[in-house]
Amino acid sequence: MRLALALLTTAALAVAGGAQAAYLGALTAEPNRIFAAAAVVLLYLSLTALILLRYAARYSASPPATVSGERGSVLIAYASQTGYAEELARSTSQALQQSNTPTRVLSFSDLDADALQAAQTALFIISTTGEGDPPDPAARFVRTVMGTPLSAAKLRYGVLALGDRSFTRFCAFGEAVDGWLAKQSATRLFDAVRVHNGDPAALAIWWQRVEEITGQRIAPPAATTNVSPWTLIARAPASPASGEHPAYYVSLQPLGALPHWTAGDVAVVRPNNDPAVVAQLLVRLGLDGDMQLNGAAGRHTLAEHLAQSTLPETADDIEALARLSPALLVKSLQPLPVREYSIASLPADGQIDLLIRQTHRPDGRLGVGSGWLTAHAGLNAPVELSVRTNASFHPPDPDRPMILIGNGTGIGGLRAHLKARAAAGATRNWLIFGERSAASDFFYRDDISKWRWARVLERVDFAFSRDAAKRTYVQDCVRIRADDIRTWVGDGAAIYVCGSLRGMSTAVTEALGEIVGEATLTEMIETGRYRRDVY
């Protein structure tokens, strides 16, 4: 643009100079032509000034783009296991588009060397699953793209790494991609932003980096755009005879229209703290919980704000808060992180069903999320909830055989799949489920019995570890049925695993690798025939 403006200025000056020469020549000729020549000069000067002003205005209003890529777009690539990274990728795309920056959003399952080499600016939003592992949809990228040298000298990039600090290798896959890109001569726009369980403070840094790329202020889209009020309509013990780790069936209905979801999708719940804990904190702070506050969400009380905030745990932290004014106290508290649960029902049921096991803190108190839904929220109480798409755990084609493997509350996510298979008339289904005891932990027993009699389940195997002299777990059951699993896989079966990451999921993956071979299992992961929803 600057070069074009300079050329235009030079040309305009040349035209003006020619007009000036004509004007001077006219002075030496006829006096009656002086006025005509003067008019010509004025016309040229006026047109030149007008053109220059228009270009200058356009240039100042539209500065050179600070981001570019294929067809001028920013590549946004996500590696997602549960749909959260994809959600943030699409939110980032929306934020960039506010500044008229075009974007191209790709899953790592579709990301290849050509796309990287075509881009000049790229943002990578990367989840880590387990102890440093890539999400399943990124398996092909790791093998085929990261396994070979790549010329990426023209690429500028930034990384948002998502993880969980309870695992030793926090955000390890995001950091691995960051380091690999740097080794391919790509240029970091900023240090990788690492986020623990959707921490709002860390995400705020990400949005600042996005603003720096565009050079303009942006309004970050909400992480969950379809949050709406729901009602807790039912709650019942799922393991009435188990006092060690009780689980509950929880059902919710929306106050408005029922949203659409698919088997495999996730319910994202905004929990509240135990009201008794909030009341105790207010007493220690010497504050009135009915104090009215004004915020982005409208008027609410101090008690309501504390109910949705991460509260101090130690006496020193509580003492520090007590020294703050109510206004500063409110600003100092971070909102509670959301909790995610595999949906156990379909829209045709008219409600969201969840299977939730109670967790406990070191001091014996119930965990915030499980405590809210299984104990503290009363029946007919409002619950803030959104549905998040989890495409990496969506159902296979109805004609494809399906092996469903899970333990504990993971049967909730598999229940939605079995409902979808029954509705589609798909009957070649095999369930392998494990828990402690059939007497106390046989979740959804009636549903499973119904599906067996209706031939929705062709085969069922159970591993109730405490019901036999020798404890047998899900992975042991998989190894025992090795020949049959090979037959089903040879017939094109998809295998879906839902349940605990530590122990069950890793052990099942190892067993399947032994049974069908690592090459076949890798091919199943890359083509979506082996999928996991684990936590």
Side-chain angles (χ1 to χ4, degrees):
M1 178 62 76
R2 288 180 178 175
L3 178 59
L5 189 58
L7 291 174
L8 181 63
T9 303
T10 303
L13 290 174
V15 171
Q20 183 183 26
Y23 170 66
L24 291 174
L27 287 177
T28 62
E30 306 176 38
N32 63 356
R33 297 179 60 187
I34 292 176
F35 293 106
V40 171
V41 171
L42 290 173
L43 177 62
Y44 275 118
L45 291 176
S46 298
L47 289 173
T48 300
L50 178 61
I51 293 170
L52 290 175
L53 286 171
R54 290 181 64 184
Y55 271 81
R58 188 180 305 172
Y59 177 77
S60 61
S62 303
T66 57
V67 289
S68 58
E70 184 173 273
R71 296 181 181 177
S73 66
V74 175
L75 172 65
I76 302 175
Y78 62 88
S80 186
Q81 186 70 32
T82 65
Y84 183 49
E86 178 179 359
E87 181 181 79
L88 282 174
R90 301 202 180 280
S91 294
T92 300
S93 174
Q94 294 172 24
L96 287 170
Q97 289 170 16
Q98 293 175 20
S99 62
N100 297 319
T101 301
T103 62
R104 183 185 183 206
V105 181
L106 282 179
S107 168
F108 264 53
S109 61
D110 300 316
L111 185 62
D112 56 23
D114 291 341
L116 288 175
Q117 290 175 323
Q120 292 184 16
T121 302
L123 298 175
F124 299 90
I125 301 176
I126 302 170
S127 290
T128 295
T129 182
E131 292 293 352
D133 297 325
D136 292 338
R140 181 204 56 79
F141 177 85
V142 173
R143 181 177 61 84
T144 63
V145 181
M146 293 182 69
T148 57
L150 175 73
S151 176
K154 296 181 180 179
L155 180 66
R156 300 182 304 157
Y157 75 94
V159 170
L160 174 63
L162 308 174
D164 184 336
R165 291 190 183 278
S166 66
F167 293 96
T168 305
R169 302 186 64 204
F170 173 59
C171 290
F173 181 57
E175 293 178 344
V177 173
D178 181 32
W180 174 78
L181 287 166
K183 288 181 180 179
Q184 310 312 307
S185 301
T187 301
R188 284 190 184 95
L189 291 168
F190 47 80
D191 290 338
V193 178
R194 303 195 305 170
V195 177
H196 164 66
N197 283 347
D199 175 31
L203 284 175
I205 297 173
W206 172 252
W207 296 120
Q208 290 174 5
R209 299 296 178 262
V210 174
E211 283 187 349
E212 290 167 3
I213 290 175
T214 64
Q216 299 183 31
R217 293 287 298 174
I218 61 172
T224 51
T225 57
N226 59 341
V227 173
S228 58
W230 292 59
T231 301
L232 179 64
I233 61 168
R235 177 170 58 213
S239 50
S242 175
E244 189 175 356
H245 300 287
Y248 286 79
Y249 299 126
V250 173
S251 297
L252 306 105
Q253 283 184 338
L255 292 181
L258 187 74
H260 175 76
W261 69 87
T262 301
D265 286 345
V266 177
V268 182
V269 176
R270 289 181 176 173
N272 281 12
N273 290 304
D274 180 356
V277 172
V278 173
Q280 291 171 4
L281 179 61
L282 285 167
V283 170
R284 296 184 67 177
L285 295 175
L287 295 172
D288 181 4
D290 293 329
M291 180 186 302
Q292 293 292 313
L293 305 172
N294 290 314
R299 289 182 64 82
H300 56 287
T301 66
L302 177 59
E304 290 170 340
H305 186 85
L306 295 178
Q308 298 180 344
S309 301
T310 299
L311 302 181
E313 298 279 345
T314 67
D316 289 342
D317 290 338
I318 294 174
E319 183 179 346
L321 284 185
R323 292 194 291 267
L324 300 178
S325 67
L328 288 177
L329 182 148
V330 167
K331 289 182 179 180
S332 69
L333 295 175
Q334 293 294 324
L336 281 171
V338 298
R339 300 302 194 270
E340 302 173 1
Y341 302 98
S342 300
I343 299 176
S345 56
L346 298 177
D349 298 314
Q351 62 191 38
I352 279 183
D353 293 333
L354 306 175
L355 176 60
I356 302 174
R357 190 187 301 279
Q358 288 185 339
T359 62
H360 291 80
R361 305 182 191 191
D363 62 3
R365 290 183 297 158
L366 286 173
V368 173
S370 66
W372 171 242
L373 290 175
T374 67
H376 305 318
L379 287 180
N380 300 315
V383 174
E384 289 188 78
L385 182 149
S386 65
V387 175
R388 189 174 71 226
T389 297
N390 182 18
S392 63
F393 205 63
H394 279 178
D397 187 273
D399 294 334
R400 186 179 294 280
M402 187 175 187
I403 304 175
L404 304 98
I405 304 174
N407 74 329
T409 57
I411 190 65
L414 299 181
R415 178 183 186 245
H417 277 286
L418 285 168
K419 281 177 166 284
R421 299 284 284 183
T427 59
R428 194 168 184 205
N429 305 304
W430 178 2
L431 173 65
I432 302 175
F433 171 65
E435 246 296 341
R436 289 183 297 264
S437 170
S440 60
D441 306 303
F442 197 158
F443 305 135
Y444 296 117
R445 181 198 295 261
D446 293 343
D447 287 334
I448 293 171
S449 177
K450 177 187 66 179
W451 287 324
R452 294 179 74 178
W453 283 107
R455 308 290 184 179
V456 173
L457 277 169
E458 180 178 311
R459 180 166 183 171
V460 178
D461 284 284
F462 298 112
F464 290 107
S465 59
R466 300 187 181 181
D467 288 352
K470 181 181 179 181
R471 293 191 176 182
T472 302
Y473 299 97
V474 170
Q475 58 268 28
D476 301 317
C477 187
V478 168
R479 285 190 171 92
I480 292 170
R481 307 303 183 199
D483 289 341
D484 294 329
I485 287 175
R486 273 190 290 266
T487 298
W488 278 59
V489 169
D491 292 341
I495 301 179
Y496 280 47
V497 179
C498 192
S500 60
L501 175 63
R502 289 186 172 98
M504 186 277 295
S505 174
T506 302
V508 166
T509 299
E510 292 175 355
L512 290 172
E514 297 167 6
I515 292 168
V516 303
E518 293 296 337
T520 297
L521 187 60
T522 297
E523 183 270 337
M524 292 179 68
I525 292 172
E526 293 180 4
T527 58
R529 286 178 56 201
Y530 183 56
R531 303 190 179 211
R532 293 174 289 183
D533 177 15
V534 293
Y535 41 86

